[in-house]
Amino acid sequence: VNILYFGRLADAAATSAEEVTPPEGIRSLNALRAWLGRDRPALAAALADGNVRAAVNDEIAPGDRPLASGDEIAFLPPASGG
Amino acid sequence: MIALAADPLDPGAALSRLAESCPGAGAIVSFVGLVRGEAGAVTGLELDHHPRITLKAIEAIAAEARARFDLIDLAIVHRHGRLKPGEPIVFVAAAAAHRRIAFQAADYLMDRLKTEAPFWKREHGPAGARWIEPRLSDHDDRARWDAKEDENARH
């Protein structure tokens, strides 16, 4: 799956985009969130924040949303506005 | 026209385009937001955005303005990327038969954009860079329109 990080999350992840292949057991958005931060403490802390929303293929999605190969997941911290 | 722009924004050109596209309008009110330098404390502003989610959110705000006010047309151009103090960051214009509606619609569009447009802003300055959190005063401005629902319906 393709991951996009916005705002301060891009700092925490040290990238604004990455292509990852999660292991078999990672099937939901919540599981992916935990897995992405497994060896990046700054990212783990940022993704654990409940105010950070996730969009799957441009639509805001709940944590139990199942993932499919090829999905694009965007992690969105609270926006600063225009 | 609703657009996200990576390049410097030309408010005059955007206003001319809108004026040409609605010959029946009796009034066009436009607004240009500029990056504030805060007396040297800000040397640059960086706007991160999602090309599709951000555009869709702005289009939804525009659709609500059209539903709420009797507009002939409207235009929103919002910058993203790296900007310097004094540079235009947002252009909003509303065209209507009469000025009152156009003033109100432009004001409404800005209050909605300031609170709801999904941009992530980072200020750069002599003290370093920091991400900007949502501003409470912007939310107060936004809330004015909730109370105005009935009043506008009468116009």
Side-chain angles (χ1 to χ4, degrees), chain A residues 28-44:
Chain A
S28 73
L29 207 42
N30 275 343
L32 178 75
R33 259 169 118 116
W35 179 75
L36 284 169
R38 71 201 181 284
D39 46 18
R40 286 178 283 185
L43 183 60

Side-chain angles (χ1 to χ4, degrees), chain A residues 4-11 16 53 55-60 72-82, chain B residues 47-53 56 78 89-90 113-122 131-135 138:
Chain A
L4 305 176
Y5 300 102
F6 292 88
R8 58 183 163 80
L9 286 181
D11 290 348
S16 58
R53 295 186 299 167
V56 178
N57 304 327
D58 300 345
E59 300 289 343
I60 299 296
E72 182 182 84
I73 294 103
F75 289 106
L76 316 163
S80 343
Chain B
L47 276 87
D48 192 10
H49 80 299
H50 186 297
R52 293 172 304 279
I53 291 176
K56 262 201 280 185
H78 210 299
I89 180 170
V90 62
L113 288 169
K114 288 299 289 181
T115 48
E116 292 159 61
F119 288 97
W120 295 274
K121 290 176 173 167
R122 179 152 55 176
W131 290 101
I132 301 172
E133 298 297 319
R135 287 161 60 120
D138 288 336

Side-chain angles (χ1 to χ4, degrees), chain B residues 85-108:
Chain B
E87 268 196 273
I89 180 170
V90 62
F91 170 84
V92 156
H98 300 281
R99 72 180 182 282
R100 187 80 54 215
I101 296 289
F103 272 115
Q104 285 184 347
D107 195 18
Y108 172 85

Side-chain angles (χ1 to χ4, degrees), chain B:
Chain B
M1 182 195 40
I2 314 293
L4 291 168
D7 299 320
L9 200 167
D10 182 346
L15 179 57
S16 298
R17 258 201 312 279
L18 180 66
E20 282 160 23
S21 78
C22 45
I28 298 179
V29 168
S30 67
F31 171 85
V32 183
L34 308 173
V35 177
R36 269 188 297 265
E38 308 291 4
V42 176
T43 54
L45 185 67
E46 185 185 342
L47 276 87
D48 192 10
H49 80 299
H50 186 297
R52 293 172 304 279
I53 291 176
T54 304
L55 184 61
K56 262 201 280 185
I58 294 176
E59 283 171 344
I61 291 170
E64 284 173 49
R66 287 177 192 278
R68 183 167 187 143
F69 303 99
D70 190 9
L71 298 178
I72 293 167
D73 202 358
L74 62 80
I76 301 171
V77 186
H78 210 299
R79 277 293 314 274
H80 59 84
R82 197 73 187 257
L83 289 88
K84 292 193 189 73
E87 268 196 273
I89 180 170
V90 62
F91 170 84
V92 156
H98 300 281
R99 72 180 182 282
R100 187 80 54 215
I101 296 289
F103 272 115
Q104 285 184 347
D107 195 18
Y108 172 85
L109 284 168
M110 277 314 303
D111 283 345
R112 294 287 309 269
L113 288 169
K114 288 299 289 181
T115 48
E116 292 159 61
F119 288 97
W120 295 274
K121 290 176 173 167
R122 179 152 55 176
E123 267 178 9
H124 294 264
R130 65 172 193 104
W131 290 101
I132 301 172
E133 298 297 319
R135 287 161 60 120
L136 290 175
S137 62
D138 288 336
H139 285 271
D140 291 343
D141 288 339
R142 162 72 184 87
R144 291 185 302 142
W145 299 98
D146 297 331
K148 271 198 181 169
E149 203 90 48
D150 299 336
E151 189 195 320
N152 282 310
R154 288 201 300 271
H155 290 308

